[in-house]
Amino acid sequence: MSEQQETVRRKRALSCIQPTGTPTLGNYLGALRNWVALQDEMDGCFAVADLHSITVRQDPQKLRQQIKEMFAILIAIGLDPEKNIIFVQSQVPQHAELAWLLACNTQFGELSRMTQFKDKSQKHADNINLGLFAYPTLMAADILLYQPDYVPVGADQKQHCELARDIASRFNNLYGNTFVVPEPYIMKAGARVRSLQDPTRKMSKSDENQNACVSILDDKDTIVRKFKRAVTDSEACVRYADGKDGINNLMEIYAAVTGKSYDEIEREFDGRGYGDFKLAVGEAVAAELAPLQERFASLMKDKAYLEEMMKKGASTASYVAARTLSKAKKKMGFVL
């Protein structure tokens, strides 16, 4: 690609997701569904960030299966392998190599301020390893290798995106223009999906209460049952208001999957109890997820296709990443 072609290329976005369990309804409505919308606006790079997952001890056999499943999920949600680069991080060795170059241009104090390091250190006090401390430099490598213009982020990842920007700017200042300094891309507001059992907290796949979280692969009966058990209040009136966290959560979810406004929802359930509303939300969510689940099941049965798509994605990603890595190494003085 010529320099002129490079300057007029479509804008590029990059996002990664760890294969540490099936995404929740919150992950889907808040992020994954928006990734699909992005592919019509710009070129996309989407990775299964399996190298990040081993900062916490993993069962090898389970991790291998989860990597395959997460790769299948990225395609099942509607990301087109012909339009996007979809790949598994560990199959592109340039990520680990650039991470070392960036680590040598990252300050200890910057990493020590990362909130996720503090949180995970408390949760996994028996395994506070170097990877857990340094993985923001790997995350910066994930981003900068593909020279993206935008990084779609939620509130919990904004700090890492800012660090990647700082590292890129520092590297460019020291060695000359090498990396695009990406902008955080604040996606169209998705539903702020909360726990069905404690709507003051974010829905989490690690929640000990199984009724609190809906997985995107839960079957219809399970989804409906979980919504029927969702915490509400004693007013028995479907309306969006302060102090009605449980109903507000359900209304946000229902609005996200049906496209209806809060006013329309209130009119639809005027004079009807919470039982009717919970059932409607559960059925609407199940209907939204059904095509994704069917596609996922089909992909998991087609082992040859999945392996082919992984190889293709890794090959394309490696080509792009190798160009960036070579540029960075040359700027730093390495013999190529």
PDB file of all heavy atoms in Angstrom, residues 80-113:
ATOM      1  N   ASP A  80     -18.283  -9.502  10.473  1.00  0.00           N
ATOM      2  CA  ASP A  80     -18.011 -10.177   9.204  1.00  0.00           C
ATOM      3  C   ASP A  80     -16.502 -10.350   9.020  1.00  0.00           C
ATOM      4  O   ASP A  80     -15.770  -9.366   8.942  1.00  0.00           O
ATOM      5  CB  ASP A  80     -18.588  -9.323   8.065  1.00  0.00           C
ATOM      6  CG  ASP A  80     -18.497 -10.016   6.710  1.00  0.00           C
ATOM      7  OD1 ASP A  80     -17.755 -11.009   6.592  1.00  0.00           O
ATOM      8  OD2 ASP A  80     -19.170  -9.543   5.768  1.00  0.00           O
ATOM      9  N   PRO A  81     -16.021 -11.600   8.929  1.00  0.00           N
ATOM     10  CA  PRO A  81     -14.580 -11.828   8.743  1.00  0.00           C
ATOM     11  C   PRO A  81     -14.050 -11.263   7.432  1.00  0.00           C
ATOM     12  O   PRO A  81     -12.849 -11.071   7.283  1.00  0.00           O
ATOM     13  CB  PRO A  81     -14.460 -13.361   8.762  1.00  0.00           C
ATOM     14  CG  PRO A  81     -15.696 -13.850   9.428  1.00  0.00           C
ATOM     15  CD  PRO A  81     -16.768 -12.865   9.073  1.00  0.00           C
ATOM     16  N   GLU A  82     -14.940 -11.000   6.471  1.00  0.00           N
ATOM     17  CA  GLU A  82     -14.519 -10.423   5.202  1.00  0.00           C
ATOM     18  C   GLU A  82     -14.336  -8.908   5.311  1.00  0.00           C
ATOM     19  O   GLU A  82     -13.625  -8.299   4.518  1.00  0.00           O
ATOM     20  CB  GLU A  82     -15.545 -10.739   4.101  1.00  0.00           C
ATOM     21  CG  GLU A  82     -15.761 -12.217   3.847  1.00  0.00           C
ATOM     22  CD  GLU A  82     -14.472 -12.938   3.457  1.00  0.00           C
ATOM     23  OE1 GLU A  82     -13.666 -12.354   2.699  1.00  0.00           O
ATOM     24  OE2 GLU A  82     -14.264 -14.082   3.917  1.00  0.00           O
ATOM     25  N   LYS A  83     -14.999  -8.285   6.276  1.00  0.00           N
ATOM     26  CA  LYS A  83     -14.911  -6.837   6.463  1.00  0.00           C
ATOM     27  C   LYS A  83     -13.908  -6.447   7.542  1.00  0.00           C
ATOM     28  O   LYS A  83     -13.399  -5.325   7.544  1.00  0.00           O
ATOM     29  CB  LYS A  83     -16.283  -6.263   6.859  1.00  0.00           C
ATOM     30  CG  LYS A  83     -17.325  -6.268   5.767  1.00  0.00           C
ATOM     31  CD  LYS A  83     -18.601  -5.598   6.288  1.00  0.00           C
ATOM     32  CE  LYS A  83     -19.671  -5.521   5.213  1.00  0.00           C
ATOM     33  NZ  LYS A  83     -20.906  -4.862   5.733  1.00  0.00           N
ATOM     34  N   ASN A  84     -13.660  -7.354   8.480  1.00  0.00           N
ATOM     35  CA  ASN A  84     -12.843  -7.053   9.654  1.00  0.00           C
ATOM     36  C   ASN A  84     -11.689  -8.028   9.783  1.00  0.00           C
ATOM     37  O   ASN A  84     -11.711  -9.116   9.203  1.00  0.00           O
ATOM     38  CB  ASN A  84     -13.696  -7.153  10.932  1.00  0.00           C
ATOM     39  CG  ASN A  84     -14.938  -6.300  10.888  1.00  0.00           C
ATOM     40  OD1 ASN A  84     -14.886  -5.092  11.049  1.00  0.00           O
ATOM     41  ND2 ASN A  84     -16.097  -6.932  10.673  1.00  0.00           N
ATOM     42  N   ILE A  85     -10.696  -7.623  10.559  1.00  0.00           N
ATOM     43  CA  ILE A  85      -9.638  -8.556  10.961  1.00  0.00           C
ATOM     44  C   ILE A  85     -10.059  -9.110  12.319  1.00  0.00           C
ATOM     45  O   ILE A  85     -10.102  -8.377  13.314  1.00  0.00           O
ATOM     46  CB  ILE A  85      -8.275  -7.854  11.083  1.00  0.00           C
ATOM     47  CG1 ILE A  85      -7.904  -7.156   9.778  1.00  0.00           C
ATOM     48  CG2 ILE A  85      -7.192  -8.880  11.447  1.00  0.00           C
ATOM     49  CD1 ILE A  85      -6.611  -6.339   9.867  1.00  0.00           C
ATOM     50  N   ILE A  86     -10.396 -10.393  12.357  1.00  0.00           N
ATOM     51  CA  ILE A  86     -10.827 -11.046  13.592  1.00  0.00           C
ATOM     52  C   ILE A  86      -9.797 -12.135  13.889  1.00  0.00           C
ATOM     53  O   ILE A  86      -9.559 -13.018  13.065  1.00  0.00           O
ATOM     54  CB  ILE A  86     -12.234 -11.659  13.442  1.00  0.00           C
ATOM     55  CG1 ILE A  86     -13.240 -10.591  12.966  1.00  0.00           C
ATOM     56  CG2 ILE A  86     -12.705 -12.256  14.759  1.00  0.00           C
ATOM     57  CD1 ILE A  86     -14.617 -11.145  12.644  1.00  0.00           C
ATOM     58  N   PHE A  87      -9.174 -12.066  15.054  1.00  0.00           N
ATOM     59  CA  PHE A  87      -8.043 -12.956  15.295  1.00  0.00           C
ATOM     60  C   PHE A  87      -7.882 -13.262  16.779  1.00  0.00           C
ATOM     61  O   PHE A  87      -8.497 -12.631  17.637  1.00  0.00           O
ATOM     62  CB  PHE A  87      -6.749 -12.339  14.754  1.00  0.00           C
ATOM     63  CG  PHE A  87      -6.348 -11.047  15.420  1.00  0.00           C
ATOM     64  CD1 PHE A  87      -5.377 -11.027  16.413  1.00  0.00           C
ATOM     65  CD2 PHE A  87      -6.925  -9.841  15.046  1.00  0.00           C
ATOM     66  CE1 PHE A  87      -4.997  -9.844  17.028  1.00  0.00           C
ATOM     67  CE2 PHE A  87      -6.545  -8.651  15.643  1.00  0.00           C
ATOM     68  CZ  PHE A  87      -5.585  -8.652  16.644  1.00  0.00           C
ATOM     69  N   VAL A  88      -7.041 -14.260  17.042  1.00  0.00           N
ATOM     70  CA  VAL A  88      -6.672 -14.639  18.406  1.00  0.00           C
ATOM     71  C   VAL A  88      -5.303 -14.034  18.700  1.00  0.00           C
ATOM     72  O   VAL A  88      -4.330 -14.276  17.976  1.00  0.00           O
ATOM     73  CB  VAL A  88      -6.642 -16.173  18.570  1.00  0.00           C
ATOM     74  CG1 VAL A  88      -6.140 -16.548  19.963  1.00  0.00           C
ATOM     75  CG2 VAL A  88      -8.030 -16.764  18.320  1.00  0.00           C
ATOM     76  N   GLN A  89      -5.227 -13.264  19.757  1.00  0.00           N
ATOM     77  CA  GLN A  89      -4.034 -12.487  20.097  1.00  0.00           C
ATOM     78  C   GLN A  89      -2.761 -13.326  20.139  1.00  0.00           C
ATOM     79  O   GLN A  89      -1.720 -12.940  19.583  1.00  0.00           O
ATOM     80  CB  GLN A  89      -4.284 -11.807  21.441  1.00  0.00           C
ATOM     81  CG  GLN A  89      -3.147 -10.985  21.998  1.00  0.00           C
ATOM     82  CD  GLN A  89      -3.398 -10.647  23.455  1.00  0.00           C
ATOM     83  OE1 GLN A  89      -4.034 -11.412  24.186  1.00  0.00           O
ATOM     84  NE2 GLN A  89      -2.908  -9.498  23.896  1.00  0.00           N
ATOM     85  N   SER A  90      -2.796 -14.480  20.796  1.00  0.00           N
ATOM     86  CA  SER A  90      -1.582 -15.284  20.982  1.00  0.00           C
ATOM     87  C   SER A  90      -1.063 -15.873  19.676  1.00  0.00           C
ATOM     88  O   SER A  90       0.073 -16.347  19.622  1.00  0.00           O
ATOM     89  CB  SER A  90      -1.846 -16.412  21.987  1.00  0.00           C
ATOM     90  OG  SER A  90      -2.808 -17.314  21.476  1.00  0.00           O
ATOM     91  N   GLN A  91      -1.880 -15.859  18.623  1.00  0.00           N
ATOM     92  CA  GLN A  91      -1.448 -16.373  17.322  1.00  0.00           C
ATOM     93  C   GLN A  91      -0.720 -15.308  16.498  1.00  0.00           C
ATOM     94  O   GLN A  91      -0.310 -15.575  15.371  1.00  0.00           O
ATOM     95  CB  GLN A  91      -2.662 -16.912  16.550  1.00  0.00           C
ATOM     96  CG  GLN A  91      -3.299 -18.118  17.223  1.00  0.00           C
ATOM     97  CD  GLN A  91      -4.521 -18.648  16.471  1.00  0.00           C
ATOM     98  OE1 GLN A  91      -5.080 -17.988  15.613  1.00  0.00           O
ATOM     99  NE2 GLN A  91      -4.928 -19.858  16.814  1.00  0.00           N
ATOM    100  N   VAL A  92      -0.559 -14.119  17.099  1.00  0.00           N
ATOM    101  CA  VAL A  92       0.152 -13.020  16.435  1.00  0.00           C
ATOM    102  C   VAL A  92       1.317 -12.620  17.354  1.00  0.00           C
ATOM    103  O   VAL A  92       1.146 -11.817  18.269  1.00  0.00           O
ATOM    104  CB  VAL A  92      -0.787 -11.821  16.179  1.00  0.00           C
ATOM    105  CG1 VAL A  92      -0.055 -10.705  15.436  1.00  0.00           C
ATOM    106  CG2 VAL A  92      -2.029 -12.266  15.400  1.00  0.00           C
ATOM    107  N   PRO A  93       2.507 -13.190  17.146  1.00  0.00           N
ATOM    108  CA  PRO A  93       3.612 -13.028  18.109  1.00  0.00           C
ATOM    109  C   PRO A  93       4.114 -11.592  18.258  1.00  0.00           C
ATOM    110  O   PRO A  93       4.781 -11.276  19.252  1.00  0.00           O
ATOM    111  CB  PRO A  93       4.705 -13.942  17.542  1.00  0.00           C
ATOM    112  CG  PRO A  93       4.349 -14.141  16.101  1.00  0.00           C
ATOM    113  CD  PRO A  93       2.866 -14.101  16.047  1.00  0.00           C
ATOM    114  N   GLN A  94       3.779 -10.728  17.316  1.00  0.00           N
ATOM    115  CA  GLN A  94       4.227  -9.335  17.405  1.00  0.00           C
ATOM    116  C   GLN A  94       3.668  -8.615  18.632  1.00  0.00           C
ATOM    117  O   GLN A  94       4.258  -7.640  19.108  1.00  0.00           O
ATOM    118  CB  GLN A  94       3.826  -8.566  16.141  1.00  0.00           C
ATOM    119  CG  GLN A  94       4.573  -8.976  14.883  1.00  0.00           C
ATOM    120  CD  GLN A  94       3.944 -10.156  14.155  1.00  0.00           C
ATOM    121  OE1 GLN A  94       2.961 -10.735  14.627  1.00  0.00           O
ATOM    122  NE2 GLN A  94       4.501 -10.511  13.004  1.00  0.00           N
ATOM    123  N   HIS A  95       2.555  -9.094  19.169  1.00  0.00           N
ATOM    124  CA  HIS A  95       1.975  -8.460  20.362  1.00  0.00           C
ATOM    125  C   HIS A  95       2.950  -8.526  21.535  1.00  0.00           C
ATOM    126  O   HIS A  95       3.191  -7.527  22.220  1.00  0.00           O
ATOM    127  CB  HIS A  95       0.655  -9.154  20.750  1.00  0.00           C
ATOM    128  CG  HIS A  95      -0.481  -8.804  19.852  1.00  0.00           C
ATOM    129  ND1 HIS A  95      -1.507  -7.974  20.229  1.00  0.00           N
ATOM    130  CD2 HIS A  95      -0.751  -9.166  18.572  1.00  0.00           C
ATOM    131  CE1 HIS A  95      -2.350  -7.847  19.224  1.00  0.00           C
ATOM    132  NE2 HIS A  95      -1.915  -8.568  18.211  1.00  0.00           N
ATOM    133  N   ALA A  96       3.503  -9.711  21.778  1.00  0.00           N
ATOM    134  CA  ALA A  96       4.407  -9.882  22.915  1.00  0.00           C
ATOM    135  C   ALA A  96       5.712  -9.118  22.701  1.00  0.00           C
ATOM    136  O   ALA A  96       6.264  -8.537  23.647  1.00  0.00           O
ATOM    137  CB  ALA A  96       4.693 -11.370  23.143  1.00  0.00           C
ATOM    138  N   GLU A  97       6.200  -9.079  21.461  1.00  0.00           N
ATOM    139  CA  GLU A  97       7.475  -8.399  21.207  1.00  0.00           C
ATOM    140  C   GLU A  97       7.331  -6.886  21.357  1.00  0.00           C
ATOM    141  O   GLU A  97       8.171  -6.234  21.985  1.00  0.00           O
ATOM    142  CB  GLU A  97       7.995  -8.743  19.811  1.00  0.00           C
ATOM    143  CG  GLU A  97       9.399  -8.223  19.571  1.00  0.00           C
ATOM    144  CD  GLU A  97      10.036  -8.740  18.289  1.00  0.00           C
ATOM    145  OE1 GLU A  97       9.419  -9.594  17.620  1.00  0.00           O
ATOM    146  OE2 GLU A  97      11.144  -8.282  17.965  1.00  0.00           O
ATOM    147  N   LEU A  98       6.277  -6.318  20.791  1.00  0.00           N
ATOM    148  CA  LEU A  98       6.096  -4.871  20.937  1.00  0.00           C
ATOM    149  C   LEU A  98       5.823  -4.512  22.389  1.00  0.00           C
ATOM    150  O   LEU A  98       6.248  -3.442  22.863  1.00  0.00           O
ATOM    151  CB  LEU A  98       4.963  -4.363  20.046  1.00  0.00           C
ATOM    152  CG  LEU A  98       4.752  -2.841  20.095  1.00  0.00           C
ATOM    153  CD1 LEU A  98       5.995  -2.096  19.613  1.00  0.00           C
ATOM    154  CD2 LEU A  98       3.529  -2.428  19.285  1.00  0.00           C
ATOM    155  N   ALA A  99       5.158  -5.397  23.118  1.00  0.00           N
ATOM    156  CA  ALA A  99       4.880  -5.115  24.534  1.00  0.00           C
ATOM    157  C   ALA A  99       6.177  -4.880  25.301  1.00  0.00           C
ATOM    158  O   ALA A  99       6.240  -4.022  26.189  1.00  0.00           O
ATOM    159  CB  ALA A  99       4.088  -6.265  25.159  1.00  0.00           C
ATOM    160  N   TRP A 100       7.255  -5.642  24.967  1.00  0.00           N
ATOM    161  CA  TRP A 100       8.531  -5.446  25.649  1.00  0.00           C
ATOM    162  C   TRP A 100       9.135  -4.086  25.286  1.00  0.00           C
ATOM    163  O   TRP A 100       9.632  -3.366  26.150  1.00  0.00           O
ATOM    164  CB  TRP A 100       9.506  -6.577  25.296  1.00  0.00           C
ATOM    165  CG  TRP A 100      10.871  -6.336  25.857  1.00  0.00           C
ATOM    166  CD1 TRP A 100      12.006  -6.041  25.163  1.00  0.00           C
ATOM    167  CD2 TRP A 100      11.245  -6.330  27.238  1.00  0.00           C
ATOM    168  NE1 TRP A 100      13.064  -5.862  26.012  1.00  0.00           N
ATOM    169  CE2 TRP A 100      12.628  -6.031  27.302  1.00  0.00           C
ATOM    170  CE3 TRP A 100      10.549  -6.556  28.431  1.00  0.00           C
ATOM    171  CZ2 TRP A 100      13.331  -5.948  28.501  1.00  0.00           C
ATOM    172  CZ3 TRP A 100      11.244  -6.465  29.625  1.00  0.00           C
ATOM    173  CH2 TRP A 100      12.615  -6.168  29.657  1.00  0.00           C
ATOM    174  N   LEU A 101       9.081  -3.717  24.007  1.00  0.00           N
ATOM    175  CA  LEU A 101       9.618  -2.418  23.596  1.00  0.00           C
ATOM    176  C   LEU A 101       8.879  -1.287  24.307  1.00  0.00           C
ATOM    177  O   LEU A 101       9.497  -0.312  24.765  1.00  0.00           O
ATOM    178  CB  LEU A 101       9.492  -2.234  22.080  1.00  0.00           C
ATOM    179  CG  LEU A 101      10.138  -3.292  21.177  1.00  0.00           C
ATOM    180  CD1 LEU A 101      10.084  -2.836  19.721  1.00  0.00           C
ATOM    181  CD2 LEU A 101      11.570  -3.575  21.582  1.00  0.00           C
ATOM    182  N   LEU A 102       7.565  -1.435  24.423  1.00  0.00           N
ATOM    183  CA  LEU A 102       6.768  -0.393  25.076  1.00  0.00           C
ATOM    184  C   LEU A 102       6.994  -0.403  26.591  1.00  0.00           C
ATOM    185  O   LEU A 102       6.952   0.655  27.231  1.00  0.00           O
ATOM    186  CB  LEU A 102       5.288  -0.584  24.758  1.00  0.00           C
ATOM    187  CG  LEU A 102       4.897  -0.467  23.280  1.00  0.00           C
ATOM    188  CD1 LEU A 102       3.381  -0.603  23.126  1.00  0.00           C
ATOM    189  CD2 LEU A 102       5.378   0.833  22.656  1.00  0.00           C
ATOM    190  N   ALA A 103       7.213  -1.594  27.161  1.00  0.00           N
ATOM    191  CA  ALA A 103       7.459  -1.681  28.600  1.00  0.00           C
ATOM    192  C   ALA A 103       8.697  -0.876  28.985  1.00  0.00           C
ATOM    193  O   ALA A 103       8.765  -0.291  30.073  1.00  0.00           O
ATOM    194  CB  ALA A 103       7.624  -3.139  29.026  1.00  0.00           C
ATOM    195  N   CYS A 104       9.672  -0.841  28.081  1.00  0.00           N
ATOM    196  CA  CYS A 104      10.904  -0.087  28.344  1.00  0.00           C
ATOM    197  C   CYS A 104      10.719   1.411  28.114  1.00  0.00           C
ATOM    198  O   CYS A 104      11.655   2.191  28.309  1.00  0.00           O
ATOM    199  CB  CYS A 104      12.036  -0.624  27.466  1.00  0.00           C
ATOM    200  SG  CYS A 104      12.484  -2.332  27.863  1.00  0.00           S
ATOM    201  N   ASN A 105       9.518   1.791  27.714  1.00  0.00           N
ATOM    202  CA  ASN A 105       9.179   3.202  27.551  1.00  0.00           C
ATOM    203  C   ASN A 105       7.955   3.576  28.380  1.00  0.00           C
ATOM    204  O   ASN A 105       7.250   4.535  28.074  1.00  0.00           O
ATOM    205  CB  ASN A 105       8.935   3.507  26.067  1.00  0.00           C
ATOM    206  CG  ASN A 105      10.215   3.513  25.258  1.00  0.00           C
ATOM    207  OD1 ASN A 105      10.947   4.489  25.258  1.00  0.00           O
ATOM    208  ND2 ASN A 105      10.492   2.402  24.591  1.00  0.00           N
ATOM    209  N   THR A 106       7.727   2.784  29.427  1.00  0.00           N
ATOM    210  CA  THR A 106       6.609   3.025  30.340  1.00  0.00           C
ATOM    211  C   THR A 106       7.161   3.168  31.751  1.00  0.00           C
ATOM    212  O   THR A 106       8.035   2.400  32.156  1.00  0.00           O
ATOM    213  CB  THR A 106       5.601   1.855  30.302  1.00  0.00           C
ATOM    214  OG1 THR A 106       5.189   1.642  28.950  1.00  0.00           O
ATOM    215  CG2 THR A 106       4.376   2.153  31.159  1.00  0.00           C
ATOM    216  N   GLN A 107       6.659   4.128  32.482  1.00  0.00           N
ATOM    217  CA  GLN A 107       7.169   4.384  33.826  1.00  0.00           C
ATOM    218  C   GLN A 107       6.494   3.481  34.864  1.00  0.00           C
ATOM    219  O   GLN A 107       5.304   3.187  34.765  1.00  0.00           O
ATOM    220  CB  GLN A 107       6.945   5.856  34.199  1.00  0.00           C
ATOM    221  CG  GLN A 107       7.651   6.827  33.272  1.00  0.00           C
ATOM    222  CD  GLN A 107       9.148   6.569  33.200  1.00  0.00           C
ATOM    223  OE1 GLN A 107       9.837   6.577  34.222  1.00  0.00           O
ATOM    224  NE2 GLN A 107       9.665   6.336  31.995  1.00  0.00           N
ATOM    225  N   PHE A 108       7.268   3.068  35.837  1.00  0.00           N
ATOM    226  CA  PHE A 108       6.762   2.212  36.916  1.00  0.00           C
ATOM    227  C   PHE A 108       5.553   2.865  37.592  1.00  0.00           C
ATOM    228  O   PHE A 108       4.554   2.206  37.893  1.00  0.00           O
ATOM    229  CB  PHE A 108       7.878   1.974  37.933  1.00  0.00           C
ATOM    230  CG  PHE A 108       7.534   0.971  38.998  1.00  0.00           C
ATOM    231  CD1 PHE A 108       7.824  -0.370  38.829  1.00  0.00           C
ATOM    232  CD2 PHE A 108       6.917   1.372  40.179  1.00  0.00           C
ATOM    233  CE1 PHE A 108       7.507  -1.297  39.818  1.00  0.00           C
ATOM    234  CE2 PHE A 108       6.595   0.462  41.162  1.00  0.00           C
ATOM    235  CZ  PHE A 108       6.894  -0.876  40.985  1.00  0.00           C
ATOM    236  N   GLY A 109       5.644   4.160  37.836  1.00  0.00           N
ATOM    237  CA  GLY A 109       4.558   4.871  38.509  1.00  0.00           C
ATOM    238  C   GLY A 109       3.272   4.853  37.723  1.00  0.00           C
ATOM    239  O   GLY A 109       2.179   4.785  38.300  1.00  0.00           O
ATOM    240  N   GLU A 110       3.375   4.889  36.384  1.00  0.00           N
ATOM    241  CA  GLU A 110       2.180   4.848  35.542  1.00  0.00           C
ATOM    242  C   GLU A 110       1.432   3.530  35.729  1.00  0.00           C
ATOM    243  O   GLU A 110       0.203   3.502  35.839  1.00  0.00           O
ATOM    244  CB  GLU A 110       2.561   5.020  34.069  1.00  0.00           C
ATOM    245  CG  GLU A 110       3.055   6.406  33.715  1.00  0.00           C
ATOM    246  CD  GLU A 110       3.517   6.500  32.269  1.00  0.00           C
ATOM    247  OE1 GLU A 110       4.324   5.649  31.838  1.00  0.00           O
ATOM    248  OE2 GLU A 110       3.077   7.438  31.576  1.00  0.00           O
ATOM    249  N   LEU A 111       2.181   2.444  35.765  1.00  0.00           N
ATOM    250  CA  LEU A 111       1.558   1.129  35.918  1.00  0.00           C
ATOM    251  C   LEU A 111       0.997   0.929  37.324  1.00  0.00           C
ATOM    252  O   LEU A 111      -0.048   0.299  37.498  1.00  0.00           O
ATOM    253  CB  LEU A 111       2.577   0.029  35.595  1.00  0.00           C
ATOM    254  CG  LEU A 111       3.073  -0.020  34.154  1.00  0.00           C
ATOM    255  CD1 LEU A 111       4.130  -1.102  33.991  1.00  0.00           C
ATOM    256  CD2 LEU A 111       1.929  -0.255  33.181  1.00  0.00           C
ATOM    257  N   SER A 112       1.676   1.458  38.313  1.00  0.00           N
ATOM    258  CA  SER A 112       1.234   1.263  39.695  1.00  0.00           C
ATOM    259  C   SER A 112      -0.076   1.993  39.991  1.00  0.00           C
ATOM    260  O   SER A 112      -0.761   1.661  40.952  1.00  0.00           O
ATOM    261  CB  SER A 112       2.318   1.718  40.677  1.00  0.00           C
ATOM    262  OG  SER A 112       2.537   3.111  40.579  1.00  0.00           O
ATOM    263  N   ARG A 113      -0.419   2.965  39.139  1.00  0.00           N
ATOM    264  CA  ARG A 113      -1.663   3.706  39.346  1.00  0.00           C
ATOM    265  C   ARG A 113      -2.868   3.061  38.673  1.00  0.00           C
ATOM    266  O   ARG A 113      -3.996   3.531  38.832  1.00  0.00           O
ATOM    267  CB  ARG A 113      -1.503   5.144  38.828  1.00  0.00           C
ATOM    268  CG  ARG A 113      -0.606   6.014  39.706  1.00  0.00           C
ATOM    269  CD  ARG A 113      -0.711   7.468  39.331  1.00  0.00           C
ATOM    270  NE  ARG A 113      -0.164   7.756  38.013  1.00  0.00           N
ATOM    271  CZ  ARG A 113       1.129   8.062  37.790  1.00  0.00           C
ATOM    272  NH1 ARG A 113       1.990   8.081  38.809  1.00  0.00           N
ATOM    273  NH2 ARG A 113       1.557   8.332  36.574  1.00  0.00           N
TER     274      ARG A 113
END
